Amino acid sequence: AMQNGLVEQWEEVKEAYRMGNYILGDIVKVTPSSKVVGDLAQFIVQNNLTESTIVDVADKLDFPKSVVEYFQGYLGQPPGGFPEELREKVLKGKPTVSGRPGSEMEDFNFALEEGKIVDKYGKEAMSELNVISRALYPSVFDDFYETRKKYSDVSILPTKAFLRPLETDEMILLELGKGMKAEIVFKAVGDRQASGTREVFFELNGLPRVIEVVEETVAIGDTLSMAKEKANPSDEGSVGAPMAGQVIDVNCKPGEQIKAGDPMVVLSAMKMETTVSCPIDGTVAHVAVQSKDNVSIGDLLVMVEPEEQ
């Protein structure tokens, strides 16, 4: 909720969790079904939905991926069955699975998976645990290792230092290995340079240090920040972000012919992934975002010119 900008609406999120669970059929909540309910709860609050309106407008909304896959039957069949009216509107014609999802899966080639891990991340990444992990959660595994390649092992950071910036003169102590410790004291951040970098000043074991880092996002109010276009709710071809998050994929280009239901943009926030689909048949007139852009609810993603009748 904090990462999705809903910390001030936490009480509403909790009530939406109760409502979302009821709407989904009062399901047994264990991972990953509990995530489905949690994703739906935040989606309900972000879009100001109620128990009475969610079914009415479901066919016009792009639900989180976890919710869509739940209704497709990828987690199995709930004891009381699916709420069929809501299911039909959420899926918009997507295929479904009956019975146990894994019953018709082909045998998994573990040897091939081992080769993929070694080719992509080196022999040091090869282990039985990693093979099973990537087999079960390929995108999560790849994201983890790509992040580790970029930032090294961040598990040694205290949780607070990982989630939030350090305060001036705040000190953290890192265990680097047996008998190896590093005391780091944050001092200051320099002005943003034209190159998009900033100097970060700190002390390492009492000695002053400075490093240059790339600022990937520009804070609101920064003179270099640009206001994002907003979608027009009254224009069906003006497609806005249904949630705050980061753009992880763009599947359309200006000038392309597109059909209602075609995937256009994939958003992600704290592993809550949502595919934004085209609401109408037409032509892509404008794509307002690119991969790794951060967006807020209502920011314009794509403008579609409707097909002439």
Side-chain angles (χ1 to χ4, degrees):
M2 181 183 296
Q3 294 295 323
N4 290 333
L6 298 175
V7 68
E8 300 298 329
Q9 297 169 277
W10 180 237
E11 293 301 319
E12 295 174 49
V13 172
K14 290 194 292 184
E15 174 59 24
Y17 191 94
R18 180 204 64 77
M19 183 175 78
N21 172 63
Y22 176 77
I23 290 170
L24 294 172
D26 192 15
I27 60 177
V28 176
K29 287 168 288 299
V30 293
T31 303
S33 60
S34 58
K35 181 181 186 302
V36 174
V37 182
D39 288 351
L40 180 59
Q42 294 182 82
F43 184 80
I44 286 170
V45 175
Q46 286 175 322
N47 291 276
N48 298 312
L49 301 172
T50 66
E51 197 170 317
S52 60
T53 62
I54 189 170
V55 177
D56 295 336
V57 300
D59 56 343
K60 298 180 176 64
L61 298 173
D62 290 298
F63 285 82
K65 182 180 179 181
S66 63
V67 177
V68 174
E69 291 184 346
Y70 163 77
F71 280 120
Q72 287 182 278
Y74 289 1
L75 275 64
Q77 310 298 310
F82 292 104
E84 289 301 332
E85 183 181 3
L86 178 60
R87 186 190 195 193
E88 182 179 346
K89 290 185 175 183
V90 169
L91 293 184
K92 303 179 182 70
K94 290 182 174 66
T96 59
V97 175
S98 299
R100 187 172 68 84
S103 61
E104 298 181 4
M105 287 180 63
E106 297 180 1
D107 291 343
F108 191 80
N109 190 331
F110 288 97
L112 178 62
E113 192 66 22
E114 290 177 8
K116 289 180 180 179
I117 291 174
V118 172
D119 289 345
K120 198 166 187 178
Y121 302 112
K123 291 183 179 179
E124 62 276 9
M126 224 339 276
S127 70
E128 289 187 0
L129 177 61
N130 280 353
V131 173
I132 293 294
S133 297
R134 195 171 192 273
L136 292 171
Y137 306 106
S139 61
V140 175
F141 181 90
D142 287 343
D143 182 54
F144 172 79
Y145 263 89
E146 291 298 334
T147 300
R148 175 165 281 197
K149 279 168 56 178
K150 184 176 182 179
Y151 297 108
S152 189
D153 181 10
V154 297
S155 67
I156 62 174
L157 291 173
T159 301
K160 182 183 176 184
F162 177 80
L163 294 174
R164 295 182 177 181
L166 297 180
E167 302 288 341
T168 301
D169 290 328
E170 184 176 354
M171 185 272 287
I172 58 174
L173 186 64
L174 305 182
E175 298 277 353
L176 302 180
K178 189 175 181 179
M180 298 174 60
K181 296 182 179 180
E183 183 181 279
I184 298 174
V185 181
F186 171 68
K187 286 300 182 181
V189 176
D191 293 334
R192 192 175 193 272
Q193 306 299 312
S195 60
T197 62
R198 289 180 187 266
E199 289 185 325
V200 178
F201 301 87
F202 61 99
E203 291 180 358
L204 174 61
N205 293 332
L207 299 176
R209 292 284 189 271
V210 58
I211 59 172
E212 193 174 74
V213 298
V214 176
E215 186 173 54
E216 296 183 351
T217 59
V218 181
I220 296 173
D222 192 306
T223 55
L224 295 178
S225 177
M226 296 179 63
K228 286 186 169 62
E229 300 174 76
K230 291 293 181 180
N232 180 1
S234 63
D235 183 351
E236 197 173 13
S238 180
V239 183
M243 59 181 245
Q246 186 177 66
V247 177
I248 60 174
D249 200 9
V250 179
N251 298 314
C252 60
K253 297 178 181 178
E256 285 184 345
Q257 296 295 309
I258 196 165
K259 296 290 185 182
D262 287 351
M264 297 191 299
V265 177
V266 181
L267 304 176
S268 179
M270 291 302 291
K271 294 185 172 56
M272 184 172 79
E273 193 172 292
T274 298
T275 298
V276 181
S277 302
C278 186
I280 57 174
D281 294 346
T283 304
V284 177
H286 173 54
V287 178
V289 294
Q290 59 186 358
S291 181
K292 296 187 178 180
D293 278 358
N294 293 312
V295 295
S296 301
I297 295 176
D299 283 353
L300 180 67
L301 301 177
V302 180
M303 179 65 73
V304 179
E305 290 183 357
E307 195 175 72
E308 294 185 6
Q309 301 296 323

